Amino acid sequence: MPLNRTLSMSSLPGLEDWEDEFDLENTVLFEVAWEVANKVGGIYTVLQTKAKVTGDEWGDNYYLVGPYTEQGVRTQVELLEPPTPALKRTLDSMNSKGCKFLAQSEEKPHVVAHFHEWLAGVGLCLCRARRLPVATIFTTHATLLGRYLCAGAVDFYNNLENFNVDKEAGERQIYHRYCMERAAAHCAHVFTTVSQITAIEAQHLLKRKPDIVTPNGLNVKKFSAMHEFQNLHAQSKARIQEFVRGHFYGHLDFNLDKTLYFFIAGRYEFSNKGADVFLEALARLNYLLRVNGSEQTVVAFFIMPARTNNFNVETLKGQAVRKQLWDTANTVKEKFGRKLYESLLVGSLPDMNKMLDKEDFTMMKRAIFATQRQSFPPVCTHNMLDDSSDPILTTIRRIGLFNSSADRVKVIFHPEFLSSTSPLLPVDYEEFVRGCHLGVFPSYYEPWGYTPAECTVMGIPSVSTNLSGFGCFMEEHIADPSAYGIYILDRRFRSLDDSCSQLTSFLYSFCQQSRRQRIIQRNRTERLSDLLDWKYLGRYYMSARHMALAKAFPEYFTYEPHEADATQGYRYPRPASVPPSPSLSRHSSPHQSEDEEEPRDLPPDEDGERYDEDEEAAKDRRNIRAPEWPRRASCTSSTGSKRGSVDTAPSSSLSTPSEPLSPASSLGEERN
């Protein structure tokens, strides 16, 4: 089963340096996708965050092509006149004749057309069928059949080579879409995908080995907060705490300063995204925290959009009660402050027995009475249309996590995307992530995984798997991922029950960390941001484009493949201060405040150890091997002038290991 981790196309070694400028004067890049200015899923994030580095490379010769939607035009597009006469004539002709032309130019340019996913594959197939002089690239971000098979509770990765793909696609009524995806993959000059795990999948399901893997990056500058990200965590956590105070009114018998916030977010694919494993691990974690008498409480959020009617009444009532208590407290505080001020003005100490009158006590008693409730705090914040058959709610009923006072793990299912305008939890997604302590994404099918990547650049630890592109990528570039707050769950060589036990161990160990340890770990996590920046990962797309040009226009562009060198590229060693965080057997550092806004120079612990973030980061950066890009093979025109270069991945990068996967066992009534 070809799932071993090798020196792969997804590692930073093996990419050329492009010391000389690539001649793009007469070369045009079109990038075509259904999610251009049309937010549907992760491809939108890829295109949006990558646009800057691609625009810096290609300038006015870079065009994005997508569907025209009024909402997208109003919110994401700035209407401009075409910058060149040739483009203006082209657009005018397309408007009048129904998109019959690609270009009208005095000099025929070298055109590169990059198509994303099967939805854009028709254009690619037509380009090749009509023999247009266009260098084509096709990127699949997740195979259509793979997503359906994994959602159908099959042992996917152990049987990749055994599937009758035509039969499976036909039974799932996706045959024509599957054929379009497969045709696009075979018609393209260069076929790419986003991770090595998906490259293996594509090789078996689409019957073509990808030429290169193009990992997804982020515009790290957007998330960068320098040393402020710790303060932003504290501020965002306070917003989440306000929601929790209202949601658990009447049952707020746990210490919010000893409460950790875990979350899972994304498309509502119950088993593919690992929500089944997360829930089972939470049930086991709840048992461990209870029997060990832990003072920690965990609030686990499920942010997965589903079909709902609206917010449920009990959830909205909780926030109303919280607001009423706050208003009552402020009213009493103002009266108390006014009496105190008047007493001090006349030069006498106040009589504390007279500071609060009967009316004040009556007001407070009424407020306390309003917080009493007979039912447990709701698990779901909305009224679900399919409450009785919803996978998350059904599993919660089975494992018995009902937010009772005895539970150390509380669950909140928010079946709607987060928004700062929400009357319930008024925070946007980025702010919510910054306020949590741990993102948990134990996916079974995850070609890349933007959610853990976004956690990383915001300095929030996360759990991923070795069946996700992100998890495999981080394993390849970090010697000890858990030391940097990247926990990699093994869902490849373990049974489902064993994977669940491993996740429970991760979560329980995280709960045992002190505040000091969590702060140190967040600093290390945020330090990995550069590894996920398009500034570096954009080189994969650059390589794919140059490879396509060399294949489509061999008289102008040539390339010579070479083997990647394992000694080159980024490699994050274990942090300078080993073990990864202060020993769990030690007491936590002297208490300063219940907030997590500690100075970056933390006070010494009982053993006299002082943690200085600047010093710690400097040590780690000295150990981090910067990428040493190999010398590139030159691309030459027919006249011998240098035009650029292209690198291909080693043919051994998708080699087959000798050991098979271990069979997955059952978890409740989920995947066998």
Side-chain angles (χ1 to χ4, degrees):
M1 181 60 210
L3 286 176
N4 65 325
R5 181 168 61 85
T6 63
L7 178 62
S8 70
M9 298 177 292
S10 63
S11 60
L12 288 175
L15 291 181
E16 53 282 354
D17 193 8
W18 310 118
E19 293 174 352
D20 300 322
E21 287 291 330
F22 191 72
D23 185 5
L24 300 176
E25 182 178 351
N26 199 33
T27 308
V28 179
L29 170 63
F30 289 91
E31 203 153 6
V32 187
W34 185 253
E35 297 193 34
V36 172
N38 180 35
K39 188 171 184 178
V40 178
I43 301 173
Y44 171 86
T45 305
V46 173
L47 298 172
Q48 183 194 48
T49 57
K50 185 174 63 68
K52 185 181 185 304
V53 294
T54 311
D56 290 343
E57 179 190 359
W58 290 78
D60 289 338
N61 291 344
Y62 174 46
Y63 302 95
L64 285 161
V65 180
Y68 183 95
T69 64
E70 289 295 335
Q71 178 68 15
V73 170
R74 287 196 300 267
T75 60
Q76 302 183 51
V77 175
E78 181 183 357
L79 297 177
L80 299 173
E81 288 296 320
T84 62
L87 181 61
K88 187 177 189 305
R89 290 198 303 272
T90 300
L91 295 177
D92 291 342
S93 177
M94 291 172 69
N95 286 330
S96 62
K97 299 181 180 180
C99 301
K100 290 186 178 180
F101 299 94
L102 281 170
Q104 294 180 359
S105 179
E106 290 77 9
E107 296 182 15
K108 291 185 177 180
H110 296 114
V111 177
V112 181
H114 191 156
F115 299 84
H116 294 265
E117 287 291 88
W118 68 271
L119 292 163
V122 177
L124 189 154
C125 295
L126 288 175
C127 284
R128 298 308 305 275
R130 297 178 181 180
R131 301 181 182 276
L132 299 182
V134 176
T136 57
I137 305 171
F138 180 68
T139 297
T140 180
H141 296 257
T143 69
L144 190 66
L145 183 56
R147 190 182 297 278
Y148 273 80
L149 286 170
C150 287
V154 301
D155 190 3
F156 181 66
Y157 291 100
N158 280 333
N159 294 285
L160 269 175
E161 67 276 10
N162 300 326
F163 290 117
N164 182 334
V165 292
D166 292 317
K167 176 177 177 291
E168 297 289 351
E171 289 179 351
R172 287 160 176 79
Q173 300 182 358
I174 58 168
Y175 183 74
H176 295 90
R177 284 179 282 170
Y178 164 75
C179 288
M180 179 56 63
E181 182 180 46
R182 184 168 171 177
H186 284 268
C187 287
H189 289 101
V190 173
F191 175 42
T192 81
T193 189
V194 296
S195 65
Q196 185 169 351
I197 199 76
T198 313
I200 298 165
E201 175 188 338
Q203 183 179 356
H204 287 287
L205 301 186
L206 300 181
K207 307 303 180 181
R208 178 178 178 181
K209 179 192 296 185
D211 299 288
I212 188 171
V213 167
T214 52
N216 290 336
L218 284 166
N219 181 5
V220 172
K221 186 177 180 181
K222 172 179 180 286
F223 298 97
S224 177
M226 301 302 289
H227 298 307
E228 287 297 308
F229 76 94
Q230 294 282 11
N231 292 335
L232 291 176
H233 165 73
Q235 294 167 13
S236 299
K237 186 184 71 171
R239 301 286 298 276
I240 296 174
Q241 282 180 332
E242 282 303 295
F243 166 78
V244 169
R245 287 187 175 99
H247 191 81
F248 290 92
Y249 82 92
H251 291 268
L252 198 62
D253 52 359
F254 53 93
N255 188 348
L256 287 179
D257 293 317
K258 293 184 179 180
T259 298
L260 300 177
Y261 301 113
F262 299 169
F263 80 99
I264 183 173
R267 188 185 289 109
Y268 194 176
E269 296 178 5
F270 183 66
S271 55
N272 280 0
K273 297 298 183 183
D276 53 348
V277 177
F278 188 26
L279 280 168
E280 184 69 28
L282 287 174
R284 300 181 186 187
L285 175 65
N286 185 48
Y287 173 79
L288 288 175
L289 293 176
R290 289 174 62 178
V291 299
N292 289 290
S294 175
E295 294 182 352
Q296 288 283 9
T297 300
V298 171
V299 177
F301 289 89
F302 288 73
I303 312 296
M304 291 181 159
R307 297 174 61 208
T308 67
N309 281 329
N310 211 323
F311 302 109
N312 65 46
V313 174
E314 188 62 25
T315 303
L316 290 174
K317 180 182 176 183
Q319 300 308 310
V321 168
R322 177 192 62 79
K323 188 177 184 304
Q324 182 60 42
L325 286 173
W326 179 259
D327 292 341
T328 300
N330 276 335
T331 300
V332 174
K333 181 181 70 174
E334 290 176 3
K335 291 178 65 177
F336 183 95
R338 186 165 55 252
K339 291 180 180 179
L340 176 62
Y341 171 67
E342 291 173 351
S343 177
L344 294 176
L345 276 178
V346 298
S348 64
L349 293 176
D351 183 354
M352 300 304 296
N353 294 324
K354 297 181 180 179
M355 293 299 290
L356 296 177
D357 55 28
K358 186 177 180 180
E359 182 182 350
D360 296 327
F361 281 103
T362 301
M363 187 186 306
M364 290 188 288
K365 286 179 180 179
R366 287 176 178 171
I368 293 173
F369 183 77
T371 65
Q372 296 178 2
R373 72 197 307 182
Q374 302 302 319
S375 60
F376 292 145
V379 167
C380 186
T381 58
H382 292 60
N383 295 321
M384 302 290 292
L385 289 180
D386 303 313
D387 185 282
S388 61
S389 60
D390 181 81
I392 289 179
L393 296 182
T394 301
T395 305
I396 288 174
R397 294 182 187 111
R398 176 175 62 81
I399 61 180
L401 285 180
F402 298 123
N403 294 340
S404 70
S405 297
D407 289 330
R408 295 271 53 81
V409 173
K410 320 287 186 180
V411 177
I412 300 176
F413 179 24
H414 189 279
E416 192 177 67
F417 285 124
L418 296 170
S419 170
S420 58
T421 60
S422 170
L424 188 65
L425 182 55
V427 296
D428 58 26
Y429 179 73
E430 180 181 334
E431 185 180 6
F432 175 79
V433 172
R434 286 192 184 275
C436 289
H437 294 91
L438 182 70
V440 185
F441 315 103
S443 304
Y444 184 75
Y445 184 79
E446 189 68 81
W448 176 247
Y450 257 124
T451 41
E454 289 167 339
C455 286
T456 301
V457 299
M458 286 187 273
I460 303 301
S462 64
V463 177
S464 188
T465 76
N466 58 0
L467 290 181
S468 72
F470 173 84
C472 293
F473 183 84
M474 298 308 260
E475 272 191 323
E476 191 164 5
H477 294 92
I478 305 175
D480 185 4
S482 61
Y484 288 91
I486 308 295
Y487 297 92
I488 309 297
L489 182 67
D490 187 359
R491 296 203 64 181
R492 182 182 299 177
F493 302 111
R494 295 189 182 211
S495 69
L496 195 57
D497 185 69
D498 288 343
S499 296
C500 186
S501 297
Q502 185 186 21
L503 177 57
T504 305
S505 177
F506 285 162
L507 300 182
Y508 185 66
S509 297
F510 191 88
C511 290
Q512 289 182 303
Q513 290 185 8
S514 65
R515 287 176 56 251
R516 175 191 176 94
Q517 291 169 321
R518 293 198 300 271
I519 291 170
I520 293 173
Q521 190 177 60
R522 282 199 297 272
N523 282 321
R524 290 177 182 161
T525 302
E526 196 271 342
R527 211 174 299 157
L528 300 176
S529 296
D530 286 344
L531 189 61
L532 300 171
D533 199 338
W534 279 121
K535 176 183 176 183
Y536 301 107
L537 299 186
R539 291 173 179 265
Y540 299 117
Y541 279 89
M542 184 187 298
S543 184
R545 291 190 289 264
H546 292 193
M547 188 187 302
L549 283 168
K551 288 185 177 182
F553 309 109
E555 67 276 17
Y556 293 101
F557 305 92
T558 61
Y559 70 90
E560 297 177 4
H562 63 270
E563 295 290 332
D565 187 351
T567 65
Q568 296 171 327
Y570 267 120
R571 183 68 177 175
Y572 280 69
R574 295 192 70 188
S577 59
V578 179
S581 55
S583 173
L584 293 177
S585 61
R586 295 178 183 171
H587 298 292
S588 60
S589 58
H591 185 78
Q592 288 193 348
S593 70
E594 295 301 332
D595 208 348
E596 299 210 9
E597 298 185 51
E598 288 196 4
R600 290 163 49 246
D601 185 7
L602 299 182
D605 58 16
E606 284 82 351
D607 295 334
E609 178 188 1
R610 178 176 291 274
Y611 177 86
D612 186 305
E613 167 59 16
D614 287 334
E615 181 181 347
E616 182 80 4
K619 289 179 182 178
D620 283 350
R621 290 191 182 100
R622 284 195 294 270
N623 289 331
I624 294 171
R625 186 187 306 125
E628 301 174 6
W629 311 109
R631 298 290 295 182
R632 60 190 177 88
S634 64
C635 286
T636 57
S637 67
S638 57
T639 59
S641 60
K642 186 176 291 187
R643 295 295 304 272
S645 70
V646 175
D647 164 48
T648 56
S651 58
S652 61
S653 58
L654 293 176
S655 58
T656 304
S658 57
E659 65 271 19
L661 287 174
S662 59
S665 66
S666 63
L667 178 63
E669 297 183 0
E670 301 304 327
R671 179 181 296 108
N672 294 322

